[in-house]
């Protein structure tokens, strides 16, 4: 069977790097997953849409490609609905499904690439909302035993681009289904973030619906972010660093216009893109890879480079940010 499996990962990572693995196995159901786990397809790695990974070499492992589909309403009352979604559904298509069913809660997370199963992994977030706001619970198969487990929101330990699955439970579970709690009438709409209000105003919308917000965000994202189909990338390469208020006040003596957002009484978030831009990296190219010309947080691949080139560029940026600002920036992207 093994020799018949596809091995080229180029079409399976949004950076578009061409590396090979032992074989790509598509997983269409929990039963199929349990069957594969009981056979000798080891070692293996799990892949959804490949929009948050950087491949840097051939992978001496099988790839379990999540294709578990299906959207079903499992509970409903006058105000809200619980929707159980197969982890292999495309996230943005699920968001569009929710809006077409007049359900609110996911509008700010429109147009994020990837699968539903990867959304809780790093608690995807955009425009002031993270998936944990609508998250209800998830089901996952324990890789060692093949048993099915349910995880509540509390157990998932969601944080800024973090969850238990990236930390203490790393590589231990295959997420198969995620259940979200969505609202028939919006609980609260968030549109004061970034350029959303500006776009709504330009369209003469003063009292936006969930749909209006989604459309505004789609418009902004399309205008700002490189489409991986055109230029390889995995979105923001680094997380935004959170530093102490004390360090921020010291830095502001030198950089009066340092942008910042309060996280708590004692800490602030600094946009990593600003730090990288200040150092002159925006738009630079090195060996067929580079930093996007409009968004300094996005590292790009122009077509015939190597994953190692992105890794080296990322390390160069990290070192320069550290030596100039004394701030550590860490990758958000999973490096394989
Ligand atoms: P993959 O890249 O396939 O996998 C990511 C990690 O999760 C890997 O470690 C993988 O092993 C693991 N994994 C995947 N599926 C499962 C599963 N079912 N069970 C267990 N482990 C699993 N992210 C944001 O948070 N906000 C944004 O606004 C955003 N914008 C983006 C814009 C662009 C243009 C791009 C390219 C990326 C962007 N991202 C953003 C990053 C990315 O879209 C998300 O992290 C997304 O959730 C990744 O989904 P995926 O299916 O592609 O995951
Ligand atoms: P932006 O609006 O230009 O803002 C730059 C940075 O400042 C963002 O990283 C954001 O942090 C922060 N920020 C802006 N307004 C804020 C506010 N009112 N409160 C708190 N923080 C604020 O960013 P962008 O690059 O166009 O991205 C827009 C949104 O999409 C952001 O939320 C971003 O995280 C998300 N996005 C994520 C990825 C990814 O791969 N992870 C890729 C593209 C876009 P936050 O990032 O913490 O929100």
């Amino acid at each position: 069977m093994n020799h018949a499996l596809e091995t080229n990962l180029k079409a399976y990572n949004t950076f578009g790097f061409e590396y090979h693995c032992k074989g790509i196995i598509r997983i269409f159901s929990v039963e199929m997953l349990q069957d594969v786990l009981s056979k000798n397809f080891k070692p293996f790695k799990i892949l959804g849409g490949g929009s948050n990974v950087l491949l840097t070499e051939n992978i001496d492992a099988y790839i379990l490609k999540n294709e578990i589909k299906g959207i079903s309403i499992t509970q409903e009352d006058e105000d809200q609905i619980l929707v159980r979604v197969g982890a292999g559904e495309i996230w943005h298509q699920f968001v569009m499904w929710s809006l077409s069913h007049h359900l609110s809660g996911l509008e700010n997370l429109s147009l994020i690439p990837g699968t539903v199963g990867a959304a809780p992994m790093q608690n995807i977030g955009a425009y002031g909302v993270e998936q944990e706001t609508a998250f209800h619970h998830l089901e996952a198969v324990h890789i060692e035993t093949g048993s099915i487990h349910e995880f509540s929101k509390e157990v998932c330990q969601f944080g800024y681009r973090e969850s238990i699955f990236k930390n203490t439970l790393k590589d231990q579970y295959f997420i198969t289904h995620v259940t979200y709690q969505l609202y028939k009438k919006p609980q609260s709409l968030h549109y004061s973030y970034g350029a959303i209000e500006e776009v709504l105003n330009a369209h003469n919308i003063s009292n936006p619906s969930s749909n209006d917000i989604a459309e505004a965000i789609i418009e902004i994202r399309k205008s700002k972010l490189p489409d991986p189909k055109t230029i390889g990338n995995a979105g923001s390469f680094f997380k935004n660093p959170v530093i102490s208020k004390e360090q921020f006040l010291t830095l502001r003596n030198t950089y009066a216009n340092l942008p910042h957002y309060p996280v708590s009484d004692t800490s602030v978030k600094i946009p990593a893109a600003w730090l990288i831009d200040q150092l002159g990296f925006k738009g630079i190219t090195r060996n067929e890879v580079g930093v996007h010309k409009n968004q300094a947080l996005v590292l790009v691949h122009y077509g015939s480079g190597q994953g190692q080139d992105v890794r080296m560029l990322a390390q160069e940026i990290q070192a320069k940010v550290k030596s100039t600002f004394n701030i550590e920036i860490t990758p958000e992207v999973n490096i394989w």
Side-chain angles (χ1 to χ4, degrees):
M1 179 183 174
N2 299 7
H3 63 272
L5 293 172
E6 190 182 355
T7 63
N8 191 341
L9 289 165
K10 188 174 165 66
Y12 299 96
N13 71 103
T14 59
F15 263 117
F17 286 118
E18 182 158 357
Y19 291 107
H20 287 259
C21 65
K22 284 168 83 145
I24 300 169
I25 303 170
R26 293 169 191 278
I27 302 294
F28 294 100
S29 66
V30 171
E31 295 70 31
M32 188 178 170
L33 172 63
Q34 288 167 324
D35 184 49
V36 167
L37 291 178
S38 72
K39 298 198 171 117
N40 202 20
F41 291 108
K42 290 192 181 124
F44 65 81
K45 283 179 174 291
I46 303 165
L47 200 62
S51 63
N52 203 21
V53 290
L54 169 66
L55 307 182
T56 57
E57 58 186 3
N58 287 330
I59 296 176
D60 192 20
Y62 291 96
I63 294 294
L64 302 192
K65 169 86 178 68
N66 183 8
E67 306 265 0
I68 300 173
K69 303 283 186 186
I71 302 180
S72 57
I73 293 167
T74 54
Q75 214 174 297
E76 180 169 4
D77 67 19
E78 267 174 30
D79 305 318
Q80 48 186 288
I81 269 181
L82 293 187
V83 190
R84 179 175 184 260
V85 192
E89 289 285 348
I90 303 301
W91 174 265
H92 179 63
Q93 287 174 7
F94 168 52
V95 174
M96 292 294 105
W97 177 94
S98 71
L99 292 169
S100 70
H101 286 74
H102 310 290
L103 296 168
S104 176
L106 301 175
E107 51 279 349
N108 288 51
L109 303 176
S110 298
L111 215 62
I112 298 182
T115 53
V116 167
M121 279 297 294
Q122 74 152 8
N123 189 25
I124 55 168
Y127 297 96
V129 174
E130 291 168 321
Q131 68 85 49
E132 68 169 299
T133 318
F135 178 93
H136 191 268
H137 71 274
L138 65 77
E139 293 146 69
V141 169
H142 188 233
I143 283 163
E144 210 45 46
T145 60
S147 58
I148 301 168
H149 293 236
E150 211 173 280
F151 293 82
S152 67
K153 192 175 187 165
E154 292 65 39
V155 175
C156 289
Q157 295 177 10
F158 292 125
Y160 168 62
R161 306 286 192 267
E162 286 296 346
S163 75
I164 196 166
F165 302 102
K166 276 186 92 173
N167 294 297
T168 44
L169 296 185
K170 193 171 161 55
D171 297 330
Q172 292 187 39
Y173 284 90
F174 188 120
I175 297 168
T176 60
H177 294 87
V178 190
T179 295
Y180 286 99
Q181 180 173 32
L182 305 175
Y183 289 90
K184 294 181 179 177
K185 283 205 188 100
Q187 289 283 92
S188 56
L189 293 174
H190 304 271
Y191 51 95
S192 60
Y193 197 100
I196 307 177
E197 235 163 359
E198 220 172 275
V199 171
L200 291 169
N201 288 340
H203 293 289
N204 293 318
I205 299 169
S206 52
N207 190 16
S209 64
S210 297
N211 248 310
D212 294 329
I213 294 172
E215 277 174 21
I217 286 173
I218 290 169
E219 188 179 324
I220 300 167
R221 292 184 72 109
K222 280 188 173 163
S223 71
K224 274 185 95 166
L225 288 168
D227 180 352
K229 286 191 194 110
T230 320
I231 308 174
N233 75 89
S236 305
F237 195 87
F238 299 104
K239 292 194 227 178
N240 289 317
V242 175
I243 62 172
S244 69
K245 205 165 169 186
E246 214 179 343
Q247 185 183 5
F248 163 68
L249 292 173
T250 310
L251 276 168
R252 206 172 52 175
N253 289 334
T254 316
Y255 307 97
N257 57 349
L258 179 65
H260 61 286
Y261 300 95
V263 171
S264 70
D265 287 349
T266 54
S267 59
V268 292
K269 178 179 72 179
I270 308 291
W274 187 88
L275 302 172
I276 298 167
D277 195 4
Q278 287 300 299
L279 298 171
F281 282 109
K282 199 172 183 174
I284 62 119
T285 302
R286 299 247 198 293
N287 299 333
E288 275 290 303
V289 306
V291 178
H292 192 254
K293 62 179 179 1
N294 300 331
Q295 174 44 290
L297 208 47
V298 178
L299 303 190
V300 291
H301 171 217
Y302 294 106
S304 55
Q306 298 291 316
Q308 278 294 356
D309 297 329
V310 171
R311 195 215 288 262
M312 282 190 304
L313 176 57
Q315 285 168 347
E316 183 186 336
I317 292 171
Q318 282 174 294
K320 197 77 196 284
V321 168
K322 174 75 180 156
S323 62
T324 310
F325 302 106
N326 193 25
I327 292 178
E328 310 250 4
I329 54 169
T330 55
E332 175 185 309
V333 170
N334 301 280
I335 301 175
W336 286 5

